[in-house]
Amino acid sequence: MLNHCFLCRNEDLKEMLESNKESLKLEAMKRIVGLIAKGKNASELFPAVVKNVASKNIELKKLVYVYLVRYAEEQQDLALLSISTFQRALKDPNQLIRASALRVLSSIRVPIIVPIMMLAIKEAATDLSPYVRKTAAHAIQKLYSLDPDQKEHLIEVIEKLLKDKSTLVAGSVVMAFEEVCPDRIDLIHKNYRKLCNLLVDVEEWGQVVIIHMLTRYARTQFVSPWREDAVFDENSEKTFYDSEEERRVDQSKPYIMDPDHRLLLRNTKPLLQSRNTAVVMAVSQLYWHLSPKHELSVITKSLVRLLRSHREVQYIVLQNIATMSIQRKGMFEPFMKSFYVRSTDATHIKTLKLEILTNLANEANISTILRELQTYVKSQDKAFVAATIQAIGRCATNISEVTDTCLNGLVLLLSNRDETVVAESVVVIKKLLQTQPSQHSDIIKHMAKLFDNITVPMARASILWLMGEYCEHVPKIAPDVLRKMAKTFTSEEDIVKLQTVNLAAKLYLSNSKQTKLLTQYILNLGKYDQNYDIRDRTRFIRQLIVPNEKSGALSRYARRILMAPKPAPVLQSAFKDRDRFQLGTLSHTLNSQSNGYLELSDWPAVAPDQSVRIVEVVEPLFLCVFNSNRKQKNGNAVKGESRSENESASESSLSESSSESGSESGSEFDSDSDSGTGQKKNTKSKPVMNLCCILICMCNIWHPFLNITYLPPQIIQKALLLIIITKLFSIHIVLSFSNQFVASCRCSLLRLCVFLACQFDAVSWHVRVSLQASFPVFVPETSHELLHRMTGKGLSAQYRFTRQPCIYGNSMVSLQLTLSNSSDQALENIHISEKSSTGQNIHHFNAIGELHTWTCGSVLFSFSTKEDEFSVSIQPAVGELLVPITMTEADFTKEKLTWCQKANQPIHFCVCISRFAGKTVGSGCLVLVSVALKDPDAGITINTEKTVMASMLLRQVKITLTNSGP
Amino acid sequence: MIHSLFLVNASGDIFLEKHWKSVVSRSVCDYFFEAVERATEPENVPPVIPTPHHCLINVLRQRVYFVAVIQSEVPPLFVIEFLHRVVDTFQDYFGVCTEAAVKDNVVVVYELLEEMLDNGFPLATESNILKELIKPPTILRTVVNTITGSTNVGEQLPTGQLSVVPWRRTGVKYTNNEAYFDVVEEIDAIIDKSGSTITAEIQGVIDACVKLTGMPDLTLSFMNPRLLDDVSFHPCVRFKRWEAERILSFVPPDGNFRLLSYHVSSQNLVAIPVYVKHNISFREGSSQGRFELTLGPKQTMGKAVESVLVSSQLPRGVLNANLSPSQGTYTFDPVTKLLSWDVGKINPQKLPSLKGSMSLQTGASKPDENPTINLQFKIQQLAVSGLKVNRLDMYGEKYKPFKGIKYMTKAGKFQVRT
C-alpha cells in the first residue's frame, strides 16, 4: 500500500516534470531533491529529470545537476544522454556555467566518458578563468579515482596547473597532487618558492593542504636544523643520528639553514594568527617537524588559544599537545593552568588534559599538580576519577620525591566508598609497590584486610599478585588469604583464578608446610575449570612445582622462575608512541595508520641539490632599467629586453627623440577582463594580452653622477609615452614602443620601475671642508612596501633607497619605486597627485620638483590612477639621508673635535672598529660615526651638530649592530 | 577528503544525507550510534570514530550531530572546522541551525552544500560569496519568486571569488552607512573553596556589524594594544600592518563577522567581578543537607552585574532541594540533579542569596564531593582587561559613516569549587 502511494506520488512528479511550465518543473525538482536528502530512492524518475538538463532556468538546472550526480552511476546509459549538454556548456561564455558543467561532468561516475572527461580537464586547465582552472584541479582527483590508468596524463595536467599563479588554483592543485602523485616531489621544486610566497593569500582550506605537502617536501630536501640543541630531547636524539660517527661529522661544520627552509618557516608564521583552527594546527605541525628547536615556542600560544574553540577542536588539539608535551615539557609548562579540568568538560577532554598535566609534571610544579589532582579525585565522573588515580601513579613513579606522598594518598583512597576508585587505587598501588616492596609491608597488610570488600576482579587479582610476590613480607597473612580464596575459587572471575593459582604456587615454594594441602586443592579445582587458560596454567604450575620423575630439570629451577625479582613497570604515557605519525593527521588521532597516510621521511644526511628550486625570472612583463656603461661616451644604447614566461615575440622599436617620444599607436591597451559577463566570444583562442612593453635605452651619460635614468611613464590612451626631462641635462633619449604578444597569463601585469627623485631642501650650507662624495659600499636590495595591492585596488608600490646620487641635484635622495598591477584591469594614468604635504618636494614622474627638508619626517604623497587616489608615506631611516664622503683620518679626528655634540652609548656585540663620515643630503651637514671596540663592550660615537638626528641615528645604528651581532 | 555528510538528530534519526563522491550507505552510521549509546552524555561522544573502512568525524551543534564520512587520511581539524563552518552558514541563512530549520529549507541546504564542497574539498565557504550564489530565503523573496518565477540562484560567478578581497561582495549599497563593533570579553576562571583564584584568563573577541557602501578601507587602533597577547584575525586584516604598527587595517566583509579574537596575557592579574559565599554540607547519617549561597560584586569598576545565572550539578544522592531565594527564581530538576538559579541583577545593597535544605536518599551515604558552581553574568560597558579602542577611520569612500563601539564583559567558563 505504502509502496503504491509512493509510486503514485512519483507519477505526479513525473507529470510535473513533463509539463511546459517552468515553475511546476522547479517545484517537482525541489521535491525530488527533498527525497534525495532523506535518502529515499528517486532513481526511476531519471528519464524525466534528465530531459531538463538543458533548461534555461539556472536553479532548475542546478537541481537537475544534483540529481544527475547522485544517480548517474546507477543509470549509466541514460546519463550519457546528458553528456552533450555539458560539452556545450563547457564552451559557455559564463565562467560559472563552464565551471559547473565541468564539475558535474567529472562527478558522473561513468567509465565510458573517461576520454571526454580527460579532454575537458585538459581544456579547462588552460581556461582563462582561475575559477574554472580550480574546478579542473578538482576534476583531476575525480577522474583519477574513476580510472587510475589515466595517471600519466593527469600528472601532465597537474604539472601545468602547479605553475599557475592564481591563489585560487594553488590549494586545489596541491590537493590533486597529494591524491594522484604524492611521490613526484620533483614537480614541486620549481614551484616551491612560489607556493611559499603565495601561501598567505591562498584561501584557508588550500593553506592547510599546501602546508602539509610542504612539510613533507621540506623533510626530503633540507638537512636537519636540530643539531646544536639535540640535547633537548634525549629520547629522540638516537633516531636522528644513526651512528656516533655521522654525528661527529655533522657537528664539525656549523649548521646553516637553507634559505628556502627559512622562507617556508617565515612565510607560514603569520598563519598562526588565522581564525581557521585547521590552519593553525597545520602551521604548528610544520614548526614541530621542521623548525629549529629554539623557534618552536612560537606555536605554543596559538595552540593554547585553540583550546577556547569548540569541543571537537579541543579534543584534537589536546591530543597533539599531549604528544608534544612528552618530548618538550618546557613548551607548555607556562600554560599549565590552561589544562586544568573544569567540571563541565566532556570526559575525553578531561582525560586528555590529565594526560598533559601528568606529562608536564616535574619537581618544581608537582605539588601544584598534585593539589589539583586531589580535587579531581572527588569528582562525580568516575571514569575521570579512575584516570586521575592512574595519573597520580605516573607522577609518583616519574618523580621520586613525591612517591611516598602519593602512596599515602592512594592508601587513603582505599577506604573510598566507590568501588571503581578503590579498584583503580589498588592497581596503581600494586605498580608503585613493586619499586620498593620491603618498606611497605603494612600497606600490603592493609590491602589484605580490604580484600573481602573489594569485588572488582582486576583489583582482587592485583592484591593476590602482591601477596604472592611479597609473601615473605607477610608470612602470616598470605596463607590465610589463600585459604579464603580456596573457598570462593569457583565463583571467581578468570583473572582472579589465575592469580590464585599463582599465589598458591608461590606460597607452596616458600611455605610448603602450611600451604601444601591448600595448593593441592586449588590445583585440583583448576584442573577441572571450564576455562582453557586456567586448565593450562594449572597443569604447567603443577609440573613446575610438584617434583616428580617426569618433570626433569625444570622443577629444580621453579623457585627461580616464579620468585624471580621482577622489574617495576614503567608507567608511561599513552601518547608515547604517537610521535611516529605526523602531528595533526588522522593517523595521529587514531594512533593507527589510515588509508592514504603519507609517511614523513627522515631528514636527509646531505641536502639534495638546492639549485633545483631556482626559477628563471618569470615576470610576464617587466621593465628593465639599465645603467649605461659609464665608459661609453657616445650614444650607444643599451637595450633591456623584455622577457616573458612564455615565448613572446617582442619586437622592439627604437625611436630616438630629444625630449618626447612619438606615440606608438596600433597597440591596444585594454586589459582582458573576463568578469564573466559573457562578452568574450572567442574562448578557444589563446588569451591575447596587450602589453605595453617598455624598453628603456639608456643614453650615454655625460655627468658621472647621472648614470641613472629617470622614467616617467605616462600612459595616455593606447600608447605609452615616455618623457624624460631633466633639469640639468637634456641629453636623454626616450624610447617608447608598445608591442603586442600572446601570453598565457591573462592578467595584464604592468610593472614599472620608476626612479623617483626626492629633492631635499636646497639650503646652501657652508661646507667646511671640501668633501668628495663617494659611492656607497653596500646597497641593500630589500624594498619596502609603500602601497599594498589590497589598499591600492590592484596597484601596489614598493620603494627602495638606491643610495645613488640623484640626478636632480645634490640635495636630493633618489628613491626607486616599483609599481605593479596585480588586478585584472588596466590601471591608467598613474601619476603622483598634486596634493602633496607641506615642505617636502618630490620630483614627479613628469618632472615637477618639490621640496623636502632634511628632517626625518616622512614624505607624504599620493598616487592617483584614473579613478582612485591613494595616499602613502615614506618614512626614511635617518641613515638613508646621508651621503658617504671620503675624508682623511686626520680630518676625521679634527672634525670630530669640532663638533661636541656627541652621543655615546655602550652596546654589546660589536664587530670591529669602524668610522663613517657622511653628510646629510639636504643640508650637507657633516655626520661622523665611529664605533670603537672596548672589549667586551663597544661604544658608538656620533658627532654632528644636529642633536635630534644624532640620537635617532644612534638608535638605529645600535639596533642594527645588536641584531647583526653573533 | 569529505566523502559524505549525515545529519542526525538527538533521537538518532538521519534526516539529511549528502554525498560528494560515490554513495556511502547510511548503515555506516551504525558505528556512530553505537558510540552514542556508549557515551553517557551527548557531549561525550568521541569526535573521531574509526570504523573498518571509513572514519566518522562528527560535531554536535544545537543537538544535531553532523557526521562526516572520511575514507582516507585528512587532517581531522580540517573536517571539524569545515563542519562548524557549515553550521555557521546555516545559522547565517536560517537564523538557527535546528532540525526543523534544515528540513524546512532542504533545497537551499542542498544547494549550499553543493557549493561549499566539490569532491569533498571546500570550494566556497565565505558567507558573502555564498550569498551571491544562493540568496538567503526571506518571506518577501519567496513571494516575489513565486509570482515572477525568478530564482534564488545567482547566475554569475560572484566577483569576490576572483578578487583580492574574496570576503567582500561588490556593489554594496546602503542608505545608512554604519559600522558597529562589539568588544566582548569573557572571563574564564576557576575559584577554589576558599575563594582564591586558581586560574583566570581573559579571552576577548571583537565582533563587527559593518554596513557600508562600496569598498571602504577601515583602520581601527587601540589605546593599549600591548594588552593583546595572542590574536587571531579574520582574513581581511592586514597582518603586516598589525605587526608593524599595532593597527587593524582591513577591508571589511559585508554584514556580521568576527574581526578579531584575542587573549589577554596571563601575566596580568584578572579582576574577578563577582564573589560567591557558599556553605554546602551534608551530614553523615542524616538525610538532610544544608545549602547556602550568597553572591556579591567585587571589582566591577562601578558597573552593575547583570543577568546572573547560577547553575550547579548536585550529587546524585540528592533527592530534592527546598530552597528560598532572596531574589530571582530557582529550579531543580530531580532527574538530572541540575540546580539553576536565575538571579538577575546583583544589588550591592541587598546581596542575593539562596538558602535552604536538600533532602538526600535515605540510607545512602553522604556524597563525598561538593558540587561545583557555574556562574554566568554580564557587565555592560566594561572591558575587564581595560582594552580601549582609540579610533576608527575610514578611507576609500567619501561618505561619513556612523560608528559605534560597545564593550561588554561576560563570564566564560567561570567555576567555583566548593
Side-chain angles (χ1 to χ4, degrees):
Chain A
M1 185 66 198
L2 255 173
N3 202 2
H4 180 68
C5 273
F6 186 68
L7 279 180
C8 289
R9 222 175 117 203
N10 277 356
E11 278 309 311
D12 73 76
L13 282 176
K14 212 175 267 179
E15 253 168 50
M16 285 163 83
L17 283 172
E18 270 154 21
S19 79
N20 291 326
K21 280 174 101 179
E22 232 50 340
S23 57
L24 269 181
K25 285 182 179 175
L26 191 61
E27 184 56 36
M29 272 323 291
K30 282 184 175 173
R31 277 162 61 184
I32 293 170
V33 167
L35 290 177
I36 297 174
K38 278 186 211 128
K40 300 227 170 75
N41 187 8
S43 58
E44 73 232 24
L45 290 165
F46 203 96
V49 172
V50 100
K51 276 181 211 157
N52 293 305
V53 73
S55 165
K56 285 275 174 294
N57 183 323
I58 193 136
E59 186 168 20
L60 180 61
K61 195 158 146 169
K62 277 200 166 172
L63 294 178
V64 173
Y65 285 180
V66 169
Y67 182 91
L68 253 178
V69 173
R70 172 70 181 74
Y71 287 112
E73 209 170 355
E74 294 171 29
Q75 311 250 352
Q76 305 213 346
D77 293 344
L78 283 170
L80 293 179
L81 294 174
S82 62
I83 301 299
S84 62
T85 321
F86 295 124
Q87 282 177 304
R88 223 173 307 128
L90 282 172
K91 306 217 159 51
D92 197 279
N94 184 337
Q95 52 184 341
L96 185 62
I97 292 177
R98 287 204 301 278
S100 60
L102 181 61
R103 269 175 71 185
V104 181
L105 181 67
S106 53
S107 299
I108 295 174
R109 299 179 55 82
V110 179
I112 283 187
I113 62 162
V114 164
I116 299 176
M117 272 159 84
M118 195 62 226
L119 209 69
I121 290 172
K122 276 188 176 157
E123 201 144 296
T126 56
D127 200 285
L128 293 179
S129 159
Y131 185 71
V132 178
R133 296 202 297 273
K134 184 186 177 74
T135 319
H138 289 179
I140 291 173
Q141 304 161 54
K142 297 182 206 170
L143 180 55
Y144 180 66
S145 70
L146 183 65
D147 183 9
D149 294 343
Q150 301 291 322
K151 189 170 173 178
E152 286 313 310
H153 297 289
L154 290 174
I155 291 176
E156 278 169 31
V157 184
I158 290 175
E159 195 173 356
K160 199 184 289 165
L161 283 173
L162 273 172
K163 290 196 186 110
D164 204 302
K165 282 193 188 58
S166 166
T167 51
L168 206 58
V169 185
S172 300
V173 69
V174 171
M175 187 67 227
F177 170 83
E178 290 280 83
E179 204 123 305
V180 180
C181 50
D183 47 338
R184 288 290 303 274
I185 232 105
D186 55 302
L187 296 180
I188 303 299
H189 290 321
K190 287 267 182 261
N191 299 297
Y192 173 83
R193 289 177 193 168
K194 185 197 74 189
L195 283 173
C196 284
N197 288 324
L198 280 184
L199 198 55
V200 184
D201 295 322
V202 174
E203 34 90 41
E204 41 198 350
W205 309 108
Q207 285 173 349
V208 179
V209 177
I210 296 176
I211 292 172
H212 274 271
M213 188 276 289
L214 289 179
T215 311
R216 251 174 356 97
Y217 177 83
R219 279 292 275 264
T220 60
Q221 298 300 317
F222 307 128
V223 288
S224 167
W226 297 337
R227 206 150 299 172
E228 282 95 342
D229 42 4
V231 225
F232 245 117
D233 46 4
E234 307 86 330
N235 316 327
S236 43
E237 192 183 13
K238 278 274 166 346
T239 52
F240 300 143
Y241 310 107
D242 294 324
S243 65
E244 280 291 312
E245 207 171 326
E246 194 185 314
R247 196 162 136 204
R248 224 170 295 132
V249 172
D250 285 347
Q251 277 171 346
S252 61
K253 52 178 187 236
Y255 168 72
I256 299 157
M257 186 182 272
D258 189 305
D260 285 329
H261 191 169
R262 176 51 67 201
L263 177 76
L264 177 61
L265 291 175
R266 197 175 51 231
N267 283 0
T268 49
K269 195 175 165 191
L271 297 179
L272 282 172
Q273 251 69 42
S274 171
R275 63 166 169 175
N276 189 318
T277 57
V279 176
V280 178
M281 190 66 234
V283 178
S284 303
Q285 66 84 23
L286 181 131
Y287 263 76
W288 177 257
H289 291 293
L290 297 182
S291 83
K293 295 293 183 193
H294 59 271
E295 284 173 40
L296 200 52
S297 54
V298 294
I299 64 172
T300 318
K301 265 184 201 168
S302 308
L303 283 175
V304 173
R305 184 187 69 227
L306 298 191
L307 297 180
R308 282 279 301 172
S309 193
H310 297 284
R311 177 183 65 98
E312 298 84 6
V313 176
Q314 282 184 41
Y315 174 73
I316 305 291
V317 174
L318 284 171
Q319 274 190 329
N320 286 294
I321 292 181
T323 308
M324 292 185 197
S325 62
I326 292 173
Q327 283 187 36
R328 316 242 323 153
K329 279 183 192 187
M331 246 174 98
F332 292 98
E333 217 193 304
F335 295 89
M336 195 175 77
K337 289 189 170 173
S338 305
F339 303 108
Y340 279 7
V341 175
R342 288 158 204 279
S343 59
T344 41
D345 287 335
T347 308
H348 51 256
I349 304 278
K350 285 180 185 165
T351 24
L352 279 171
K353 282 186 172 176
L354 211 54
E355 177 71 41
I356 295 169
L357 281 178
T358 322
N359 289 342
L360 293 183
N362 57 24
E363 282 82 357
N365 59 21
I366 185 69
S367 57
T368 332
I369 288 182
L370 276 183
R371 209 174 316 129
E372 190 63 20
L373 292 182
Q374 260 168 13
T375 52
Y376 300 161
V377 167
K378 290 187 205 147
S379 164
Q380 293 176 28
D381 184 345
K382 292 307 166 201
F384 171 54
V385 174
T388 309
I389 293 169
Q390 279 176 3
I392 294 176
R394 262 181 59 201
C395 288
T397 45
N398 294 344
I399 300 159
S400 51
E401 280 94 332
V402 292
T403 312
D404 287 340
T405 336
C406 292
L407 207 49
N408 291 338
L410 289 172
V411 170
L412 284 181
L413 285 179
L414 289 178
S415 47
N416 196 294
R417 229 170 285 115
D418 193 274
E419 198 164 76
T420 45
V421 176
V422 178
E424 203 62 47
S425 312
V426 169
V427 175
V428 174
I429 289 175
K430 179 202 121 187
K431 288 178 184 164
L432 283 183
L433 285 186
Q434 263 182 279
T435 49
Q436 61 242 88
S438 52
Q439 303 157 24
H440 297 292
S441 53
D442 46 335
I443 294 178
I444 300 176
K445 279 178 201 155
H446 183 70
M447 285 167 77
K449 272 182 218 153
L450 286 172
F451 188 69
D452 293 341
N453 301 325
I454 293 173
T455 52
V456 178
M458 190 60 211
R460 285 175 78 84
S462 294
I463 296 180
L464 288 175
W465 186 87
L466 270 178
M467 291 290 145
E469 193 64 26
Y470 305 118
C471 51
E472 277 109 346
H473 301 298
V474 283
K476 297 228 173 78
I477 297 170
D480 198 48
V481 171
L482 187 64
R483 181 184 59 80
K484 281 185 193 159
M485 282 315 296
K487 272 200 254 176
T488 55
F489 187 85
T490 44
S491 54
E492 295 290 348
E493 286 281 330
D494 291 344
I495 177 172
V496 184
K497 284 178 183 169
L498 284 176
Q499 286 308 326
T500 314
V501 173
N502 231 342
L503 173 66
K506 285 173 184 169
L507 282 177
Y508 182 83
L509 290 175
S510 62
N511 186 3
S512 60
K513 211 192 284 169
Q514 263 186 308
T515 55
K516 191 171 182 185
L517 283 173
L518 267 174
T519 308
Q520 293 276 337
Y521 176 66
I522 285 170
L523 288 179
N524 279 336
L525 282 178
K527 192 174 174 186
Y528 299 107
D529 199 89
Q530 280 181 322
N531 189 304
Y532 283 109
D533 226 14
I534 293 163
R535 291 206 298 273
D536 272 0
R537 178 72 65 88
T538 317
R539 200 175 307 129
F540 161 69
I541 292 287
R542 188 190 290 277
Q543 292 300 318
L544 193 62
I545 60 173
V546 185
N548 57 11
E549 59 279 5
K550 264 187 277 174
S551 61
L554 205 57
S555 64
R556 254 181 284 142
Y557 299 107
R559 197 181 168 79
R560 274 166 71 185
I561 290 168
L562 283 174
M563 305 293 273
K566 294 167 183 73
V570 186
L571 298 180
Q572 266 186 342
S573 166
F575 285 79
K576 191 80 195 159
D577 59 337
R578 287 221 182 172
D579 55 354
R580 65 200 158 111
F581 294 111
Q582 188 177 354
L583 289 185
T585 57
L586 185 64
S587 306
H588 175 267
T589 297
L590 299 175
N591 199 16
S592 68
Q593 184 152 344
S594 56
N595 199 0
Y597 173 75
L598 300 165
E599 195 93 30
L600 206 58
S601 69
D602 274 341
W603 297 102
V606 180
D609 187 15
Q610 300 177 7
S611 61
V612 289
R613 284 185 293 276
I614 295 171
V615 190
E616 300 87 57
V617 180
V618 288
E619 299 301 336
L621 168 69
F622 71 99
L623 187 112
C624 312
V625 182
F626 283 78
N627 291 354
S628 74
N629 192 337
R630 222 170 295 139
K631 282 170 192 160
Q632 277 182 319
K633 283 285 172 193
N634 232 325
N636 275 346
V638 180
K639 193 166 67 181
E641 268 187 345
S642 151
R643 273 176 282 174
S644 85
E645 189 182 3
N646 281 12
E647 76 298 325
S648 65
S650 64
E651 297 169 35
S652 56
S653 68
L654 214 93
S655 72
E656 232 178 29
S657 65
S658 58
S659 64
E660 58 163 6
S661 76
S663 62
E664 290 277 336
S665 60
S667 83
E668 289 181 4
F669 195 70
D670 59 326
S671 84
D672 176 355
S673 62
D674 178 36
S675 53
T677 42
Q679 76 277 46
K680 274 179 51 57
K681 290 289 173 236
N682 191 7
T683 47
K684 254 191 165 175
S685 74
K686 286 259 181 159
V688 174
M689 188 163 73
N690 298 311
L691 292 169
C692 294
C693 224
I694 312 159
L695 289 192
I696 293 306
C697 235
M698 284 293 94
C699 57
N700 49 343
I701 304 298
W702 291 7
H703 190 278
F705 287 169
L706 295 175
N707 55 347
I708 294 163
T709 281
Y710 158 64
L711 312 170
Q714 212 174 18
I715 304 157
I716 301 167
Q717 294 188 342
K718 292 178 176 178
L720 203 77
L721 196 72
L722 293 181
I723 308 165
I724 291 179
I725 305 164
T726 63
K727 280 183 191 165
L728 305 172
F729 308 95
S730 58
I731 35 78
H732 291 273
I733 295 163
V734 174
L735 158 81
S736 128
F737 78 92
S738 28
N739 99 42
Q740 199 174 10
F741 67 90
V742 182
S744 71
C745 180
R746 205 183 116 267
C747 299
S748 73
L749 197 131
L750 180 64
R751 184 164 281 200
L752 304 168
C753 285
V754 177
F755 281 88
L756 173 75
C758 297
Q759 185 186 0
F760 295 95
D761 194 1
V763 178
S764 67
W765 175 259
H766 169 67
V767 181
R768 321 185 129 247
V769 204
S770 69
L771 300 167
Q772 177 77 46
S774 63
F775 284 97
V777 185
F778 164 71
V779 181
E781 287 301 316
T782 51
S783 50
H784 310 276
E785 184 165 83
L786 187 59
L787 180 68
H788 191 258
R789 62 183 167 76
M790 228 92 102
T791 338
K793 299 185 181 161
L795 176 71
S796 72
Q798 293 189 315
Y799 71 94
R800 153 175 114 83
F801 289 97
T802 52
R803 300 200 180 166
Q804 297 288 336
C806 178
I807 43 167
Y808 292 107
N810 289 339
S811 55
M812 289 171 109
V813 168
S814 38
L815 193 66
Q816 182 185 12
L817 277 188
T818 310
L819 304 177
S820 55
N821 179 4
S822 53
S823 72
D824 46 10
Q825 307 215 322
L827 289 172
E828 291 179 52
N829 198 9
I830 303 170
H831 60 276
I832 290 183
S833 54
E834 300 296 325
K835 198 188 78 187
S836 219
S837 73
T838 51
Q840 292 144 356
N841 262 350
I842 298 164
H843 198 95
H844 274 210
F845 297 150
N846 21 21
I848 302 155
E850 284 177 327
L851 284 172
H852 185 295
T853 56
W854 82 266
T855 42
C856 303
S858 47
V859 188
L860 294 167
F861 56 93
S862 46
F863 281 115
S864 304
T865 60
K866 205 172 173 188
E867 295 113 350
D868 303 290
E869 187 170 309
F870 312 102
S871 303
V872 291
S873 73
I874 297 177
Q875 181 104 42
V878 193
E880 299 289 1
L881 301 179
L882 298 176
V883 183
I885 44 175
T886 331
M887 201 181 217
T888 61
E889 199 170 338
D891 278 341
F892 190 90
T893 4
K894 201 180 94 196
E895 285 295 327
K896 202 171 156 182
L897 294 171
T898 328
W899 294 104
C900 49
Q901 302 275 11
K902 57 172 164 182
N904 204 338
Q905 213 167 340
I907 57 148
H908 299 276
F909 309 120
C910 184
V911 210
C912 59
I913 313 163
S914 31
R915 277 181 226 110
F916 170 78
K919 57 173 184 174
T920 60
V921 186
S923 51
C925 116
L926 207 58
V927 181
L928 303 174
V929 183
S930 47
V931 181
L933 189 71
K934 294 174 220 138
D935 202 36
D937 289 353
I940 313 171
T941 317
I942 291 170
N943 301 59
T944 178
E945 60 167 343
K946 302 208 168 182
T947 343
V948 190
M949 192 167 73
S951 59
M952 285 169 86
L953 195 57
L954 179 69
R955 203 174 59 231
Q956 281 179 4
V957 172
K958 197 181 153 195
I959 291 169
T960 325
L961 285 179
T962 322
N963 287 348
S964 63
Chain B
M1 290 254 152
I2 298 168
H3 215 98
S4 304
L5 177 71
F6 294 97
L7 267 60
V8 180
N9 64 14
S11 52
D13 297 324
I14 301 170
F15 63 93
L16 189 113
E17 61 176 67
K18 170 94 182 100
H19 307 275
W20 283 276
K21 300 183 183 183
S22 53
V23 179
V24 177
S25 156
R26 52 165 71 192
S27 63
V28 73
C29 285
D30 292 348
Y31 294 100
F32 173 71
F33 296 135
E34 263 174 46
V36 172
E37 237 162 73
R38 264 199 305 275
T40 44
E41 308 261 327
E43 286 81 28
N44 284 350
V45 178
V48 183
I49 302 165
T51 76
H53 299 294
H54 303 90
C55 180
L56 305 176
I57 297 183
N58 68 85
V59 305
L60 174 68
R61 289 277 292 266
Q62 280 159 351
R63 308 185 59 223
V64 177
Y65 289 104
F66 289 74
V67 186
V69 182
I70 308 298
Q71 227 164 13
S72 61
E73 175 63 50
V74 58
L77 268 186
F78 185 96
V79 181
I80 290 171
E81 179 77 26
F82 177 78
L83 292 178
H84 281 298
R85 207 58 77 75
V86 169
V87 182
D88 292 341
T89 309
F90 287 174
Q91 264 171 357
D92 203 23
Y93 265 75
F94 317 127
V96 283
C97 178
T98 55
E99 185 186 353
V102 171
K103 276 183 172 168
D104 288 348
N105 299 292
V106 73
V107 176
V108 180
V109 165
Y110 236 72
E111 285 169 347
L112 276 175
L113 289 176
E114 187 75 31
E115 285 306 328
M116 289 180 85
L117 273 188
D118 180 18
N119 195 36
F121 191 79
L123 196 60
T125 48
E126 281 298 337
S127 151
N128 269 266
I129 288 181
L130 285 170
K131 280 188 176 160
E132 267 184 80
L133 281 171
I134 301 149
K135 300 191 179 69
T138 58
I139 295 169
L140 181 73
R141 188 167 294 135
T142 322
V143 173
V144 170
N145 285 353
T146 36
I147 296 166
T148 61
S150 56
T151 63
N152 273 339
V153 178
E155 297 195 20
Q156 294 298 336
L157 185 71
T159 41
Q161 183 73 276
L162 296 175
S163 76
V164 283
V165 281
W167 52 84
R168 189 170 177 91
R169 51 196 187 94
T170 47
V172 185
K173 275 208 176 75
Y174 289 102
T175 42
N176 295 324
N177 289 296
E178 38 194 26
Y180 297 108
F181 293 87
D182 291 358
V183 180
V184 182
E185 299 199 331
E186 295 193 354
I187 305 177
D188 287 357
I190 303 178
I191 312 286
D192 81 351
K193 235 180 204 159
S194 56
S196 55
T197 312
I198 293 181
T199 149
E201 291 179 320
I202 301 171
Q203 308 276 350
V205 294
I206 298 182
D207 283 330
C209 174
V210 176
K211 292 180 174 172
L212 297 175
T213 309
M215 270 288 170
D217 196 329
L218 304 178
T219 56
L220 185 84
S221 61
F222 298 101
M223 304 274 264
N224 37 9
R226 268 169 215 287
L227 274 178
L228 307 183
D229 184 35
D230 180 48
V231 280
S232 79
F233 301 117
H234 188 276
C236 69
V237 177
R238 296 179 184 111
F239 184 71
K240 280 198 182 127
R241 193 84 193 273
W242 170 258
E243 283 283 272
E245 304 167 58
R246 300 274 143 179
I247 285 175
L248 293 175
S249 152
F250 55 98
V251 175
D254 185 40
N256 295 313
F257 66 102
R258 174 156 296 175
L259 178 63
L260 166 81
S261 49
Y262 59 88
H263 178 265
V264 176
S265 67
S266 44
Q267 275 74 37
N268 294 16
L269 278 180
V270 179
I272 305 288
V274 178
Y275 71 86
V276 181
K277 260 199 261 174
H278 52 80
N279 182 8
I280 301 170
S281 58
F282 306 97
R283 246 171 305 148
E284 193 69 63
S286 94
S287 60
Q288 290 286 311
R290 270 239 313 270
F291 189 97
E292 266 182 53
L293 210 64
T294 312
L295 303 176
K298 188 181 153 188
Q299 295 174 300
T300 60
M301 334 250 167
K303 303 283 190 325
V305 185
E306 294 167 11
S307 337
V308 182
L309 186 77
V310 178
S311 61
S312 178
Q313 180 78 43
L314 295 185
R316 243 162 293 171
V318 177
L319 275 186
N320 210 342
N322 189 11
L323 308 170
S324 59
S326 71
Q327 74 177 76
T329 51
Y330 88 98
T331 53
F332 177 72
D333 185 346
V335 182
T336 57
K337 315 287 182 202
L338 190 72
L339 174 82
S340 67
W341 175 29
D342 190 352
V343 185
K345 197 168 163 179
I346 295 183
N347 180 1
Q349 270 74 50
K350 195 174 157 289
L351 297 180
S353 64
L354 181 69
K355 285 177 189 163
S357 62
M358 298 173 285
S359 52
L360 299 177
Q361 230 162 358
T362 40
S365 52
K366 153 184 178 297
D368 46 23
E369 193 217 8
N370 276 338
T372 45
I373 295 163
N374 294 306
L375 215 59
Q376 279 168 42
F377 55 81
K378 268 184 202 162
I379 305 171
Q380 302 281 2
Q381 296 158 22
L382 172 75
V384 74
S385 66
L387 187 75
K388 275 244 152 40
V389 173
N390 184 22
R391 54 182 297 140
L392 176 72
D393 296 305
M394 188 183 75
Y395 304 99
E397 295 289 334
K398 294 217 161 46
Y399 55 85
K400 255 191 117 55
F402 185 80
K403 302 176 271 194
I405 289 179
K406 205 169 78 181
Y407 296 93
M408 182 155 59
T409 297
K410 285 202 292 193
K413 295 171 182 162
F414 197 101
Q415 293 198 340
V416 182
R417 293 177 180 165
T418 62

